[in-house]
């Protein structure tokens, strides 16, 4: 199991399926965690995981909220070694020509600007501490197009561009930056996609089986499996790994 002993990691979207699994895994690996999410999510649950976790309600699109997260991390643990930009939304599941403009703006604000602001505000602290690692959550939809998910796919492609640029910029200061590209993972987000895609002929359960059958390993991933990859990338075991966009997808992108 990769070791995060003594490292302080900031995690966004920490009340969601993958985020909560990440907080659990980081704590089990010895990290201090600053867990943030919107109000009404499971972020309070993350905050109750023990003395090594603090939680905060914060919107990733808000510079003031990011500054407050930075202060909380430094005030509580004295340093920041890692950042996981995990918060994201799927947006509308609609043909491009009908896609609501305000939803396009929202998807780009959360999935792209949120990641940008996180790196802009947190990376200087990681540099000050002597280096560390950033993990940005993209998607298999960041590696190829996705019908009826144009804004989401565009946003996740952008996450990879941001990640590669940051990896180049931060390399001289020993900050590694990688993107991960999950296939369908068993969380609320997939329930929302299944709901939107089901029809009178195909119910949500049948649809789920169909989507799973398109993944060579034959199933959705578990949030804990994504958390394991994040842990490795944040750990010193990944010390020569930076600027990558890594599929975690049961071989979906091997085709
Ligand atoms: N579940 C999948 O199949 C899948 C596949 C590929 C990539 N992803 C990505 O993984 C990440 C986590 O998704 P998940 O599956 O755990 O979904 P989720 O909906 O369970 O979690 C997403 C979290 O992000 C939070 N969030 C949304 N807007 C926010 C904002 N403005 N500020 C702060 N937090 C905000 C939500 O409150 C939620 O807790 C997302 O970036 C998603 O795009 C998920």
């Amino acid at each position: 199991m990769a070791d995060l002993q003594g490292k302080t990691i900031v995690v966004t979207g920490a009340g969601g399926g993958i985020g909560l699994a990440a907080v659990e895994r980081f704590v089990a690996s010895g990290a201090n965690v600053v867990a943030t999410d919107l109000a009404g999510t499971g972020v309070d649950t993350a905050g109750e995981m023990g003395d090594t976790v603090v939680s905060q309600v914060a919107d990733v699109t808000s510079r003031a909220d990011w500054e407050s997260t930075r202060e909380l991390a430094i005030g509580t643990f004295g340093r920041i070694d890692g950042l996981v930009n995990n918060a994201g939304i799927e947006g509308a599941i609609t043909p491009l020509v009908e896609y609501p403009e305000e939803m396009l703006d929202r998807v780009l604000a959360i999935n792209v600007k949120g990641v940008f602001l996180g790196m802009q505000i947190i990376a200087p602290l990681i540099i000050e501490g002597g280096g560390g690692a950033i993990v940005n959550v993209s998607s298999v939809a960041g590696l190829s197009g996705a019908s009826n998910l144009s804004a989401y796919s565009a946003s996740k492609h952008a996450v990879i561009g941001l990640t590669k640029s940051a990896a180049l910029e931060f390399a001289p200061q020993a900050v590694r930056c990688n993107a991960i590209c999950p296939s369908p993972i068993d969380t609320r987000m997939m329930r929302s996609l299944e709901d939107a895609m089901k029809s009178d002929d195909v119910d949500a359960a049948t649809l789920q089986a169909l989507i799973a059958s398109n993944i060579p390993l034959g199933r959705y991933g578990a949030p804990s499996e994504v958390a394991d990859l994040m842990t490795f990338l944040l750990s010193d075991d990944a010390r020569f790994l930076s600027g990558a966009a890594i599929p975690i997808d049961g071989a979906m992108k091997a085709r």
Side-chain angles (χ1 to χ4, degrees):
M1 180 152 141
D3 185 14
L4 300 180
Q5 207 66 44
K7 294 187 194 295
T8 297
I9 314 292
V10 174
V11 185
T12 69
I18 294 172
L20 209 48
V23 175
E24 262 175 31
R25 180 67 168 80
F26 299 165
V27 168
S29 301
N32 298 316
V33 179
V34 180
T36 73
D37 206 321
L38 299 175
T41 65
V43 72
D44 304 331
T45 313
E48 286 157 13
M49 284 183 197
D51 290 349
T52 53
V53 187
V54 286
S55 67
Q56 183 184 53
V57 169
D59 183 333
V60 293
T61 67
S62 158
R63 175 173 293 277
D65 283 6
W66 271 111
E67 286 168 352
S68 148
T69 299
R70 179 186 62 195
E71 298 322 310
L72 177 68
I74 295 300
T76 312
F77 300 118
R79 56 182 296 114
I80 304 177
D81 304 277
L83 166 66
V84 178
N85 279 311
N86 166 71
I89 59 167
E90 65 278 21
I93 297 131
T94 308
L96 189 150
V97 291
E98 291 161 20
Y99 204 95
E101 190 174 335
E102 53 295 354
M103 184 57 87
L104 168 69
D105 291 342
R106 186 154 173 70
V107 168
L108 295 179
I110 295 170
N111 295 6
V112 183
K113 185 181 172 190
V115 171
F116 186 96
L117 285 179
M119 294 201 289
Q120 190 171 60
I121 292 162
I122 300 298
L125 275 291
I126 302 179
I127 291 167
E128 222 174 272
I134 297 171
V135 176
N136 294 327
V137 181
S138 176
S139 166
V140 287
L143 296 169
S144 52
S147 293
N148 298 324
L149 278 169
S150 52
Y152 182 75
S153 177
S155 75
K156 293 301 186 179
H157 277 75
V159 167
I160 294 175
L162 281 176
T163 302
K164 291 184 174 182
S165 303
L168 294 173
E169 285 191 30
F170 298 149
Q173 287 113 345
V175 179
R176 296 180 295 100
C177 188
N178 292 291
I180 62 169
C181 304
S183 63
I185 306 295
D186 210 359
T187 71
R188 179 214 64 82
M189 192 171 280
M190 281 313 298
R191 298 297 90 78
S192 150
L193 294 176
E194 289 154 6
D195 266 358
M197 288 159 67
K198 72 180 184 212
S199 64
D200 290 346
D201 301 331
V202 188
D203 64 15
T206 311
L207 197 64
Q208 195 179 119
L210 254 169
I211 297 170
S213 71
N214 193 38
I215 300 170
L217 282 181
R219 63 173 175 87
Y220 286 10
S224 62
E225 292 169 323
V226 180
D228 284 347
L229 175 60
M230 290 171 169
T231 307
F232 168 69
L233 290 171
L234 292 166
S235 79
D236 296 340
D237 291 348
R239 59 195 168 276
F240 199 53
L241 213 175
S242 192
I246 304 169
I248 170 158
D249 67 347
M252 206 175 165
K253 284 288 142 202
R255 291 198 179 99

